[in-house]
Amino acid sequence: MMTKKEFLKQWDKAKSFANSGQLKLSIETYEALVPLINDIKAVFPREDYASDEHYIEQMHFEQAMFWGDFTASLCDEGEFDSAIEASKKALYHKEAANLSTLLYIFFNTGNIYLLSQDYEEAIKWYDKALYENECNEIWLNEKERADYYSNKAEALYFLGRYEEAEELFLKAIQTVQNYKNFEPFYFLKNIYELKNDTKQSEKFYKMFTTRKRKLSDEDFLQRTRFYPIKID
């Protein structure tokens, strides 16, 4: 049986693979850990925790995080059905312990529907994350808030709700100084083209290309491969 330390090391490895774009290796690593997360009490000893109540809550927390992280790798690899199943498990454990944190689970769930082009459903999950953030005063950091605004704006854009999308894309890039993600700049370029605002369109296209040049072709393809339009 793997020890808690060994388990956490493998979990970190799965996240590192995902962060470096090695999604298949990330998924393989997570899959090897699934039997252990399903038998979590054998990996996380009860004696490490102050009380039974704390132990139970912490086990739900660990399982919610694990399935939330796994969801992201599956989603980014385009394994949407498996990602939804992983997300359901993450949401179950989040709710079982009544955890007001871990809003990225809602965000990752929204991303499944965004990339699989169910835009109405994606918006529901992004709204849920942003609502919980405001109500519980969790305060996502600036980068997280910008990402949530931008991804919701993409869903609005693909639904043809351009005014709402424009507002959120602008909000995203105003939230973080020198926001590095290229997506809001590309879509703002398109929105201003539709408005026949050449000056603004050219401005945001330049900002888009500046960010695109900082990515490898492989990274750019990974970021855009599930879009219903070609981005260039």
Side-chain angles (χ1 to χ4, degrees):
M1 175 62 68
M2 191 178 292
T3 66
K4 177 180 175 181
K5 183 177 180 180
E6 291 167 339
F7 177 86
L8 294 175
K9 184 177 180 180
Q10 289 300 307
W11 186 352
D12 283 340
K13 184 182 290 187
K15 289 188 282 188
S16 294
F17 283 140
N19 291 336
S20 62
Q22 300 179 80
L23 295 171
K24 292 188 184 300
L25 284 175
S26 176
I27 290 168
E28 288 175 7
T29 307
Y30 279 121
E31 287 175 340
L33 295 175
V34 166
L36 298 171
I37 201 71
N38 287 337
D39 188 24
I40 194 168
K41 292 181 180 180
V43 180
F44 287 72
R46 162 65 184 83
E47 57 267 24
D48 290 352
Y49 301 88
S51 66
D52 288 344
E53 182 179 0
H54 179 228
Y55 180 60
I56 291 169
E57 180 178 314
Q58 192 62 29
M59 293 307 96
H60 283 303
F61 182 81
E62 298 290 348
Q63 288 170 294
M65 283 201 304
F66 175 89
W67 289 110
D69 292 344
F70 195 4
T71 297
S73 291
L74 290 165
C75 176
D76 289 346
E77 184 59 16
E79 297 186 17
F80 300 128
D81 290 341
S82 296
I84 288 172
E85 292 306 309
S87 172
K88 287 178 181 177
K89 294 175 182 178
L91 290 164
Y92 166 78
H93 289 291
K94 184 181 186 310
E95 293 167 8
N98 195 27
L99 299 169
S100 60
T101 56
L102 304 184
L103 297 186
Y104 77 93
I105 291 173
F106 296 150
F107 178 70
N108 288 349
T109 304
N111 289 344
I112 301 169
Y113 293 106
L114 175 67
L115 297 183
S116 61
Q117 301 177 29
D118 187 345
Y119 302 119
E120 295 282 4
E121 191 67 20
I123 289 168
K124 290 178 185 177
W125 288 100
Y126 296 137
D127 280 344
K128 190 171 180 62
L130 291 166
Y131 176 78
E132 290 288 328
N133 179 60
E134 292 172 6
C135 290
N136 294 301
E137 296 187 350
I138 297 166
W139 305 119
L140 298 166
N141 66 43
E142 291 179 347
K143 173 63 166 60
E144 289 168 337
R145 280 188 285 126
D147 290 347
Y148 287 33
Y149 295 147
S150 182
N151 284 25
K152 180 183 174 183
E154 287 184 32
L156 291 166
Y157 176 90
F158 288 121
L159 289 170
R161 293 161 61 178
Y162 300 124
E163 294 293 331
E164 295 171 84
E166 177 188 0
E167 181 181 350
L168 274 183
F169 281 131
L170 290 171
K171 195 171 183 179
I173 64 179
Q174 290 162 2
T175 299
V176 176
Q177 188 174 9
N178 297 320
Y179 190 47
K180 295 180 180 179
N181 290 11
F182 66 81
E183 290 88 350
F185 301 97
Y186 176 81
F187 288 108
L188 283 167
K189 182 270 293 186
N190 287 355
I191 289 169
Y192 289 117
E193 272 185 0
L194 292 171
K195 290 184 170 186
N196 295 315
D197 188 336
T198 303
K199 184 178 180 179
Q200 285 290 85
S201 180
E202 290 178 350
K203 167 189 166 183
F204 283 106
Y205 184 68
K206 183 177 180 180
M207 297 169 83
F208 157 69
T209 55
T210 297
R211 287 157 177 79
K212 179 185 175 183
R213 283 196 295 267
K214 295 179 180 179
L215 296 173
S216 68
D217 290 342
E218 184 179 358
D219 287 342
F220 184 74
L221 179 62
Q222 170 62 33
R223 293 268 287 273
T224 60
R225 63 179 175 151
F226 297 117
Y227 282 128
I229 59 174
K230 183 178 180 181
I231 294 183
D232 52 27

